[in-house]
Amino acid sequence: MEKRKLGFWEIWNMSFGFLGIQMGFALQNANASRILQKFGADVHELSWFWIIAPLMGLIVQPLIGYYSDKTWGKYGRRKPFFLVGALLASVGLILMPQADIFVAFLPALWVGAGMLMIMDASFNIAMEPFRALVADNLRADQRTLGFSVQTALIGFGAVVGSGLPYVLTNWLGISNTAPEGAVPPNLIWSFGIGAVVLVTTILVTIFTTKEYSPEELDSFESEGELDVKPLEEAKLSDIFTDFKKMPQTMRQLSWVQFFSWFGLFGMWVFSTPAIAHHIYHLPINDASSQAYDDAGDWVGILFGVYNLVSAIFAFALPYIAFKIGRKLTHSVSLLVGGFSLVSLYFMPNQYWAILPMIGVGIAWASILAMPYAILAGSIAPRKMGVYMGIFNFFIVIPQIINAFIGGPIVKYLYNGQAIYAIVISGVSFIIAAILVVKVKDVDDIKSKSEIL
């Protein structure tokens, strides 16, 4: 027996919740550093606060993958995790920019960091089962398309999330300034809107997508490289055994992921101070002026550009991969993104800074799709959730390392000039592109017969 071939709109609805997740994630990426600085964090401390994000991924995603593999009930296998994650993340989105309302009980910076932790844990609860759902429901010849559609929705959601504060201020007149120690109203409104969209889009996926039952999964022909235990015999401790027995493809992709996400983390954490100080020529210790808020809003636009490019480029990825293979597609995309980030150093003003973001968007689209499409062919269906969770180790570990060393390096080696952290992010992308060459794509031959 074989999985049913899904139509385009079925694949679209199956991943639609990712639009809301990424809208919230983009709001966090573009504005969390700025919010924490408003509450009193110094530039060199930002990466330490951001360590919460990868730590949550390291802990949460393998556990969610394991339990979602074992969860079967009237509400489905992956769906309960989508909904719980969305509801918790919406709480974090609403409260993080308003952390100062709790100042009578705790410092606003502590509350803001706590809300960042809640958001990150919740995004991870929701995201990991979405990755597994695509692999669960799609045949091998549709996986590249499935992850590409998911990437497109991620891009569209991120465009809205990244640009929303700028739009609210410049189109609707909502202020982007606030007293010292407080967050501007445009950010508060943006995060609230993001919370509503997140829950709504998750509900669309829940109500429009059918999951395969355990019996149906058992009837499908064997896939992947691994022999696995029956579901009822699996134990939580098997996560460690599975880690040791990970497929060769996953081991090879781990180094690609390491350098890709080391670079992404540096870009997310340091883009606002880098643009403010290097492009807008503001003092290094300036985080409260009107000009700094303008720079922060512009970073949202830049992030929106790369996410829009990724959303568009995602639709081209299946065709490009069909023609030249997944590995070469990913390698070239990473090279383009890497050289684009390095070139940001040479941009003369904020408008020229849009140009490198086009290349970053190409790399981002590939990072969100190609590794998962390559990986899915090497994993047995009954282990899809836990291995997608374990694969997240190679996303969060480089971020944790960057979180520990990134801030001190910016302070002591770069003399507070965050733009050099962006340059190193570009170099990291280039290293990842070179390492793709060693990866074994198990079902690349199958992908050649994909009906696009």
Side-chain angles (χ1 to χ4, degrees), residues 52-193:
I52 296 169
L55 276 177
M56 289 297 99
L58 185 67
I59 296 168
V60 171
Q61 288 220 14
L63 292 175
I64 294 301
Y66 169 80
Y67 283 111
S68 69
D69 279 344
K70 291 173 65 66
T71 298
W72 294 102
K74 65 178 182 178
Y75 299 111
R77 185 186 197 187
R78 315 289 184 187
K79 291 178 184 179
F81 296 93
F82 303 163
L83 184 58
V84 170
L87 293 174
L88 292 175
S90 66
V91 172
L93 283 166
I94 292 170
L95 294 182
M96 183 185 181
Q98 302 185 78
D100 56 322
I101 66 177
F102 299 99
V103 72
F105 307 98
L106 287 171
L109 184 58
W110 291 15
V111 177
M115 291 302 108
L116 179 61
M117 180 181 69
I118 290 173
M119 277 193 294
D120 281 312
S122 304
F123 287 143
N124 279 294
I125 290 171
M127 279 194 293
E128 194 285 330
F130 258 108
R131 298 288 190 196
L133 180 66
V134 171
D136 285 344
N137 281 13
L138 294 181
R139 306 181 331 186
D141 64 340
Q142 288 194 297
R143 284 176 183 151
T144 301
L145 176 61
F147 285 114
S148 296
V149 168
Q150 194 173 86
T151 299
L153 286 163
I154 288 172
F156 291 137
V159 168
V160 177
S162 297
L164 191 56
Y166 183 91
V167 168
L168 291 180
T169 296
N170 291 275
W171 294 6
L172 300 180
I174 297 176
S175 175
N176 70 342
T177 61
E180 187 172 351
V183 173
N186 69 330
L187 290 186
I188 294 174
W189 275 96
S190 296
F191 275 61
I193 293 169

Side-chain angles (χ1 to χ4, degrees), residues 1 16 22 33 38 92-93 97 105 121 179 209 249 257 284-285 361 391 405:
M1 184 175 175
F16 193 67
Q22 194 61 32
S33 290
K38 292 289 186 184
L93 283 166
F105 307 98
T209 300
T249 297
Q257 294 291 85
I284 291 175
N285 59 354
F391 194 51
I405 69 175

Side-chain angles (χ1 to χ4, degrees), residues 153-445:
L153 286 163
I154 288 172
F156 291 137
V159 168
V160 177
S162 297
L164 191 56
Y166 183 91
V167 168
L168 291 180
T169 296
N170 291 275
W171 294 6
L172 300 180
I174 297 176
S175 175
N176 70 342
T177 61
E180 187 172 351
V183 173
N186 69 330
L187 290 186
I188 294 174
W189 275 96
S190 296
F191 275 61
I193 293 169
V196 173
V197 173
L198 171 59
V199 174
T200 302
T201 56
I202 290 286
L203 289 175
V204 170
T205 290
I206 288 174
F207 288 119
T208 61
T209 300
K210 178 183 181 297
E211 296 185 76
Y212 285 114
S213 69
E215 294 74 24
E216 288 172 319
L217 282 178
D218 286 340
S219 69
F220 297 140
E221 57 186 359
S222 178
E223 299 182 59
E225 297 178 351
L226 303 174
D227 293 324
V228 299
K229 297 177 183 179
L231 186 64
E232 60 274 8
E233 296 180 15
K235 304 185 297 294
L236 183 59
S237 60
D238 288 343
I239 292 176
F240 302 102
T241 303
D242 293 333
F243 184 87
K244 294 178 181 179
K245 294 181 178 180
M246 73 177 73
Q248 180 187 13
T249 297
M250 184 184 289
R251 294 182 186 276
Q252 295 165 336
L253 280 170
S254 67
W255 289 105
V256 177
Q257 294 291 85
F258 181 94
F259 286 100
S260 299
W261 287 87
F262 187 93
L264 286 168
F265 187 83
M267 180 186 74
W268 291 332
V269 173
F270 294 110
S271 281
T272 297
I275 296 298
H277 304 146
H278 187 71
I279 303 294
Y280 281 73
H281 307 293
L282 301 179
I284 291 175
N285 59 354
D286 181 1
S288 59
S289 68
Q290 174 67 59
Y292 192 89
D293 285 320
D294 290 340
D297 286 348
W298 189 253
V299 169
I301 294 299
L302 295 178
F303 279 25
V305 168
Y306 89 70
N307 281 292
L308 178 61
V309 171
S310 77
I312 297 170
F313 187 67
F315 290 109
L317 278 174
Y319 297 90
I320 297 172
F322 179 77
K323 293 294 185 181
I324 67 174
R326 293 165 174 162
K327 288 169 52 178
L328 184 57
T329 299
H330 194 38
S331 183
V332 171
S333 299
L334 287 170
L335 283 174
V336 171
F339 284 112
S340 295
L341 277 176
V342 172
S343 74
L344 193 60
Y345 179 87
F346 303 100
M347 296 299 108
N349 57 51
Q350 67 268 35
Y351 303 108
W352 275 96
I354 292 173
L355 185 61
M357 292 299 107
I358 296 173
V360 172
I362 290 171
W364 180 231
S366 190
I367 288 169
L368 290 174
M370 288 298 104
Y372 297 96
I374 294 170
L375 177 67
S378 69
I379 301 174
R382 297 295 289 273
K383 289 285 188 178
M384 194 64 70
V386 71
Y387 267 107
M388 286 291 179
I390 290 173
F391 194 51
N392 194 58
F393 287 170
F394 311 117
I395 293 175
V396 300
I397 289 173
Q399 294 182 70
I400 291 171
I401 293 173
N402 198 335
F404 276 117
I405 69 175
I409 288 176
V410 168
K411 182 178 181 180
Y412 296 109
L413 186 60
Y414 305 151
N415 295 318
Q417 297 291 337
I419 188 63
Y420 293 110
I422 305 300
V423 172
I424 292 301
S425 292
V427 173
S428 189
F429 273 26
I430 293 169
I431 295 172
I434 296 170
L435 292 172
V436 174
V437 176
K438 295 185 177 181
V439 176
K440 175 186 177 183
D441 189 349
V442 173
D443 63 5
D444 190 43
I445 296 176

